[in-house]
Amino acid sequence: LNPHEANLVGISLCSEPGIACYIPLAHVTEKVLEQKIVLEKLKNILQDKSIKKIGQNIKFDFIILLRNEIKLDPIEDTMLMSYALDAGRHRHNMDNLSEIHLNHKPISFKEVAGTGKKQISFDKVPIKLATQYAAEDADVTFRLYTFFKERLDQEKLLKIYELFEKPMVNLLSKMEIEGIKINSSFLKQLSRKFDNKIRTLEKEIFSIAKEEFNIGSPKQLGEILYNKLKITTMKKTKKGGFATNAKVLEDLAFKGHKLPRTVLDWRQLTKLKNTYTDALPEHLNVKTNRVHTSFLLAATTTGRLASSEPNLQNIPIKTEDGKEIRKAFVAEKNHSLISADYNQIEMRILADIADVKELKKAFKNNEDIHSLTASQVFDISLNKIDKETRRKAKAINFGIIYGISQYGLAKQISVSNSEAADFLKSYFKKFPEIKDYMNSTINFCRKSGYVNNIFGRRCYITGINDKNYNVRNFQERAAINAPIQGSAADIMRLAMIKITREFEKKSNYKTKMLLQIHDELVFETPQDELEKIIPIIKKNMSDASSSEHHKFNIPLTVDINYGNNWDEAN
C-alpha cells in the first residue's frame, strides 16, 4: 500500500465500460510480459495530452508510474469526484462507491490474496484470478467516472473538483516523493527521555492509587477510579464497561482530581513515544534516507488534508514535548527548513463569513484580536488587559469556531458554569453577527442537510436532525465549524497551487515544498535561495484568498521563519 516502496506487478486498463484487460508484468509462477517493453509501449498513451487517464485514488498510480519515468497526464480521479460531491455522506473507496452507485459488489482483495498469515502478495496470485480482480477495478472506475461527471455538471460542483481537487494530485505526489529528513539518533534520545518521564508518571499514579495496575486497561483503571478511590459515581460505556475515555478523565481533572490528570499526561506521552519517537525511524526509506508521508485527499469532511504512514498532523504544536519531536525533522546540509504559517486564518474567515464589523475593522488595522475580544467581553480598556484575561478571550474566540458550550468553556478557562455562560452572553452581545451566522447556518443545514464554504464546497452533516440530543448537538457544532475550517483548507490549497506554479515558472529554483500541516507549509531550500524564496511564499499565501472565485475582504497575514530543523523554523 506504500506507493514509494511498492513494486509494479501488473496494469489493468479499461477503454470503454464492460471491456477491460490486465497486463501481467511480475507474476512469479507464470509467463509474463517484459516490463521494459510494456512501459515503453504504454508511455505514449499515458503521457498523451489528448487521452484522459481516469483512476480511483490516482495519486497512488501517479507515484508508481513516476517512479518508472512515466508522468500521467491529463488525469481524472473518481475518488476526488465523489469527495467533491458527497463529502460527509460516506467513505470514498472504490468498493463502497461501486455498491452505492452501481449496485455492484466488486471482488475483494482478500478473495484473491487471502487474509492474515495465509495472505500472499499479488505477484503470487494466478494471472487468471488477477485479471478478474484488476480488470474489474478498471471497469468499475470507468463506470463511476461516467456517473460522477454527469452529477458534477448537474449539481454545479465541477469548479470545486477542477480547482481544488485535481491539481493536488501532481502537487502532493511530488511532496510525497521528496519526503523529509529526520534525525534518528535524536529520536532515540528523545524516546529514552520520554520513557523516563512515563516511568515517573507511573510511579505517581501507583502512589495515588496505592497499588500497581495496568494503566492502559480501561477495566483496571475503572476499578481504581470507581470502586477503590470512589472519585465519582459509576460511568459506563454502551457495552457496559467502565467509562475511562478522555472526556470522562478531563471532567474529573477539571474538578481537581489528581489521578485522572496524571493518567491523561501519561496517555499523551505514551502516544507521542509510540507514534513518533519510536515509530518515525521505522518509516525511514532506506534508499532516500527520508520519511515519505502519504497525504490523504478525501479523508476529512471539510477539505482539510490528512496524512498517514506516518501521520504528521497530530504532533502537538504548543507543548514542549511536541516541540521536541519537531526538532527531529531536519534540513539537508547547506539547506534550511522554512515554516510559513497563516496567522489566525479561521478567525479571519469567521469575521468575513459572518460579516463581523468590529473584528473586520480590527484585522484591517492589524490589532491584536484576542485583546480586542477581552476588552469587549470583560469591559476593560485595551491598555489594562493582562495575559490571563487575554488567554480567556483567546479560548472564547477559538471555542466559538468549534461551537463550544458553556460547560466546555468553563473547563477550558477554569471558571464556573455560570461565569462561562455570562462570558458567552457578553460575547454574543458585543458580536451579534456571530450568533446570527451560527443560527442561520444551523437552520440552512437542517433544511438542506449540508453547509457550503466560501468557495461553494459542500459538506454534508448527516445527523443534524437526529432525535438524540447529543448527536444533534455535536452535528450542529460541526455545521458551524465546517464552512470556516473548509474555507481555510481551500485557501491553503489555492496557496499551494499558486506557489507550485510560481516555482515551475522559475525552473532554476531548487526549493521544494515538503509538508502541509493544518495552517502551515514547510519547505526545504538551499541557503543561498532563502532571500528570493521567502517573499514568493509570503506573497502567494497572502494572495490566495483574493481569487476570482471569492473576494475575501480581510488581509491574510503569514508568519515565516526558517532554521536547521522544524522547531527552529517555528
Side-chain angles (χ1 to χ4, degrees):
L1 292 177
N2 181 339
H4 308 286
E5 292 174 8
N7 293 321
L8 197 52
V9 175
I11 296 172
S12 58
L13 298 167
C14 172
S15 55
E16 57 182 280
I19 298 173
C21 67
Y22 177 64
I23 307 166
L25 301 174
H27 289 261
V28 291
T29 55
E30 295 167 82
K31 198 175 177 188
V32 293
L33 297 173
E34 196 181 321
Q35 184 166 312
K36 190 168 177 279
I37 295 168
V38 170
L39 292 182
E40 267 174 24
K41 297 274 184 194
L42 283 179
K43 189 169 187 169
N44 295 333
I45 299 169
L46 297 178
Q47 296 193 157
D48 187 329
K49 288 195 186 326
S50 69
I51 303 170
K52 274 182 187 172
K53 270 65 68 171
I54 303 157
Q56 162 73 20
N57 185 19
I58 205 166
K59 179 161 66 70
F60 185 90
D61 312 67
F62 192 95
I63 292 168
I64 298 236
L65 289 167
L66 210 51
R67 284 175 49 214
N68 287 280
E69 293 171 7
I70 294 172
K71 188 182 177 186
L72 280 181
D73 187 40
I75 55 167
E76 302 287 349
D77 190 332
T78 48
M79 180 184 80
L80 298 182
M81 291 169 118
S82 173
Y83 186 55
L85 285 160
D86 295 317
R89 271 181 165 166
H90 50 66
R91 291 173 65 226
H92 308 278
N93 58 307
M94 194 199 75
D95 288 8
N96 196 35
L97 298 179
S98 177
E99 288 190 54
I100 292 169
H101 302 299
L102 307 178
N103 201 21
H104 170 73
K105 190 175 174 22
I107 304 162
S108 68
F109 185 74
K110 63 184 179 191
E111 283 176 68
V112 296
T115 55
K117 287 181 181 174
K118 290 183 178 175
Q119 190 176 73
I120 55 171
S121 51
F122 204 73
D123 57 349
K124 295 184 180 72
V125 173
I127 290 176
K128 192 175 179 186
L129 191 55
T131 302
Q132 287 170 1
Y133 169 81
E136 180 189 53
D137 275 7
D139 181 43
V140 164
T141 301
F142 201 126
R143 289 169 194 263
L144 286 170
Y145 170 73
T146 313
F147 173 75
F148 288 141
K149 189 170 179 285
E150 207 171 299
R151 272 190 65 197
L152 283 168
D153 276 334
Q154 285 170 353
E155 297 176 39
K156 297 186 171 47
L157 288 165
L158 189 62
K159 181 188 86 173
I160 298 297
Y161 168 66
E162 292 285 351
L163 191 71
F164 297 101
E165 300 298 346
K166 252 180 27 179
M168 298 300 286
V169 173
N170 186 1
L171 189 159
L172 292 176
S173 296
K174 285 180 181 169
M175 285 167 67
E176 288 182 25
I177 288 166
E178 199 58 43
I180 188 166
K181 192 175 180 184
I182 58 165
N183 183 338
S184 294
S185 58
F186 176 76
L187 282 167
K188 276 181 192 159
Q189 287 171 25
L190 204 50
S191 259
R192 286 197 289 273
K193 185 179 166 183
F194 284 177
D195 206 36
N196 291 334
K197 284 171 95 171
I198 287 164
R199 285 169 199 266
T200 306
L201 288 168
E202 282 172 355
K203 281 180 188 165
E204 202 177 324
I205 289 164
F206 297 152
S207 162
I208 300 166
K210 297 190 168 52
E211 68 171 89
E212 289 192 12
F213 64 99
N214 178 357
I215 305 164
S217 159
K219 188 174 184 293
Q220 292 185 34
L221 177 60
E223 197 69 51
I224 298 290
L225 283 175
Y226 299 121
N227 292 338
K228 185 173 183 186
L229 299 180
K230 294 184 169 57
I231 283 176
T232 185
T233 52
M234 185 81 72
K235 288 181 175 66
K236 295 214 166 188
T237 62
K238 283 177 184 173
K239 290 181 179 173
F242 291 119
T244 58
N245 61 27
K247 188 181 183 308
V248 169
L249 296 185
E250 280 164 6
D251 287 350
L252 293 171
F254 173 57
K255 287 170 185 164
H257 298 292
K258 198 175 178 192
L259 183 82
R261 173 74 272 149
T262 317
V263 170
L264 284 168
D265 292 343
W266 177 87
R267 278 185 185 174
Q268 167 77 340
L269 207 51
T270 308
K271 190 179 176 186
L272 287 181
K273 183 177 181 291
N274 294 341
T275 313
Y276 297 111
T277 57
D278 289 355
L280 273 173
E282 290 171 19
H283 289 289
L284 204 62
N285 184 305
V286 287
K287 289 177 190 161
T288 63
N289 209 28
R290 289 162 83 93
V291 165
H292 303 264
T293 187
S294 280
F295 289 100
L296 311 175
L297 273 161
T300 67
T301 56
T302 58
R304 262 199 171 181
L305 295 179
S307 73
S308 70
E309 303 296 317
N311 175 1
L312 301 179
Q313 307 281 341
N314 289 349
I315 302 172
I317 299 166
K318 301 282 186 273
T319 69
E320 281 308 309
D321 294 329
K323 286 179 180 178
E324 287 285 290
I325 290 167
R326 284 176 167 231
K327 283 178 190 169
F329 293 84
V330 294
E332 291 286 356
K333 196 179 175 189
N334 301 323
H335 285 65
S336 291
L337 290 185
I338 299 172
S339 165
D341 201 348
Y342 277 121
N343 182 294
Q344 297 175 349
I345 187 169
E346 291 190 348
M347 279 303 297
R348 290 168 195 269
I349 289 164
L350 175 64
D352 179 71
I353 219 169
D355 196 20
V356 188
K357 311 284 185 297
E358 287 282 350
L359 293 183
K360 283 168 86 169
K361 193 169 82 181
F363 278 125
K364 280 174 184 170
N365 295 337
N366 207 19
E367 291 171 30
D368 176 9
I369 215 74
H370 303 311
S371 294
L372 171 82
T373 301
S375 167
Q376 296 275 355
V377 173
F378 304 119
D379 207 16
I380 307 168
S381 63
L382 273 167
N383 57 357
K384 289 188 177 165
I385 288 156
D386 58 20
K387 272 186 180 175
E388 185 54 26
T389 313
R390 186 184 178 277
R391 186 187 73 80
K392 285 178 179 173
K394 187 177 178 180
I396 298 172
N397 274 335
F398 287 119
I400 291 295
I401 293 168
Y402 292 94
I404 202 164
S405 64
Q406 63 181 60
Y407 181 68
L409 181 63
K411 198 162 65 172
Q412 209 168 330
I413 60 176
S414 305
V415 297
S416 69
N417 271 353
S418 59
E419 278 179 289
D422 288 343
F423 291 161
L424 288 173
K425 202 172 165 185
S426 173
Y427 186 92
F428 290 129
K429 197 175 172 185
K430 295 292 182 183
F431 306 119
E433 303 97 329
I434 295 176
K435 192 69 178 168
D436 293 343
Y437 158 75
M438 290 163 86
N439 291 335
S440 64
T441 302
I442 289 168
N443 290 336
F444 176 84
C445 191
R446 282 208 183 109
K447 285 181 201 140
S448 315
Y450 63 85
V451 288
N452 291 313
N453 78 2
I454 58 176
F455 301 103
R457 182 189 286 277
R458 198 175 285 178
C459 173
Y460 282 89
I461 312 284
T462 52
I464 192 83
N465 293 314
D466 200 280
K467 284 174 187 164
N468 181 314
Y469 170 79
N470 289 333
V471 171
R472 195 171 65 247
N473 187 259
F474 178 79
Q475 298 286 25
E476 283 174 0
R477 295 204 303 274
I480 291 163
N481 175 249
I484 300 165
Q485 195 184 101
S487 300
D490 278 343
I491 287 171
M492 177 58 89
R493 286 180 183 227
L494 283 177
M496 292 168 80
I497 293 161
K498 280 167 80 84
I499 291 166
T500 303
R501 283 178 185 154
E502 193 77 32
F503 284 179
E504 281 168 357
K505 271 190 240 165
K506 314 262 194 321
S507 53
N508 56 332
Y509 284 163
K510 294 189 169 59
T511 299
K512 299 280 196 299
M513 196 188 299
L514 304 187
L515 299 175
Q516 194 278 305
I517 311 289
H518 304 307
D519 303 327
E520 176 184 12
L521 287 173
V522 178
F523 302 82
E524 186 171 43
T525 187
Q527 274 152 6
D528 59 5
E529 272 184 27
L530 269 168
E531 281 182 29
K532 287 180 243 166
I533 286 294
I534 286 175
I536 291 171
I537 294 169
K538 198 162 196 165
K539 182 180 187 308
N540 282 286
M541 284 180 77
S542 302
D543 291 351
S545 62
S546 307
S547 70
E548 66 273 27
H549 313 287
H550 175 82
K551 188 67 191 135
F552 200 70
N553 294 313
I554 294 168
L556 287 179
T557 59
V558 181
D559 299 324
I560 295 194
N561 291 298
Y562 60 90
N564 295 317
N565 63 56
W566 190 8
D567 181 56
E568 277 180 21
N570 264 248

